[in-house]
Amino acid sequence: MRSKMRTLLIVFVGSGVGGAGRHFLNTWITRLSGSDFPFGILTINIVGSFAMGLVAGWWAFKSNAPQDLRLFLATGILGGFTTFSTFSLDAGVLIERGQHLSALGYALGSVVFSVLALMAAMALIRSL
């Protein structure tokens, strides 16, 4: 029981840090872009996927980090930072507005570039 509470606390704190970072970056990018297109979350999904590739690649190929650190960084911070529920909401709003091509570009761009970013990061770590 104590171990489960510790795990939940680690993920909880990390998620708060990641969520706050997502909110800050999304607000900043949205203000800079001045657009109805969700550039903030698109950027967050790509950057977050790249960061997850770095973290996962490091653990897989270079390190034996403790489980608590893995939970804090991957499940907590990056899980709180990247969110496809927000992605789905943004795509749905674009569809509701009748911006079908923007919604398609947003969905494809998010998925394709996020997976490519993750693969690039893992390849980078593997090459070190």
Side-chain angles (χ1 to χ4, degrees):
M1 180 70 156
R2 190 173 186 174
S3 177
K4 288 182 183 183
M5 289 302 291
R6 176 186 161 100
T7 298
L8 286 175
L9 183 60
I10 288 167
V11 172
F12 175 77
V13 171
S15 295
V17 170
R22 179 184 67 239
H23 174 71
F24 172 78
L25 189 57
N26 184 42
T27 302
W28 182 65
I29 291 171
T30 300
R31 196 173 307 133
L32 285 178
S33 72
S35 171
D36 287 337
F37 188 82
F39 285 111
I41 296 299
L42 176 62
T43 302
I44 287 163
N45 284 337
I46 294 167
V47 168
S49 293
F50 185 80
M52 185 67 82
L54 292 174
V55 168
W58 183 259
W59 287 326
F61 307 123
K62 303 291 181 186
S63 172
N64 286 330
Q67 184 64 18
D68 286 352
L69 181 59
R70 293 175 187 216
L71 285 170
F72 180 70
L73 291 175
T75 306
I77 291 178
L78 291 176
F81 182 71
T82 60
T83 174
F84 273 85
S85 59
T86 303
F87 156 80
S88 298
L89 175 62
D90 288 336
V93 167
L94 288 171
I95 291 168
E96 289 291 322
R97 289 182 186 156
Q99 296 173 306
H100 297 101
L101 285 177
S102 288
L104 180 63
Y106 175 60
L108 289 174
S110 291
V111 173
V112 169
F113 289 112
S114 294
V115 171
L116 287 174
L118 181 122
M119 298 306 295
M122 290 182 73
L124 175 66
I125 293 298
R126 186 177 287 137
S127 72
L128 295 178

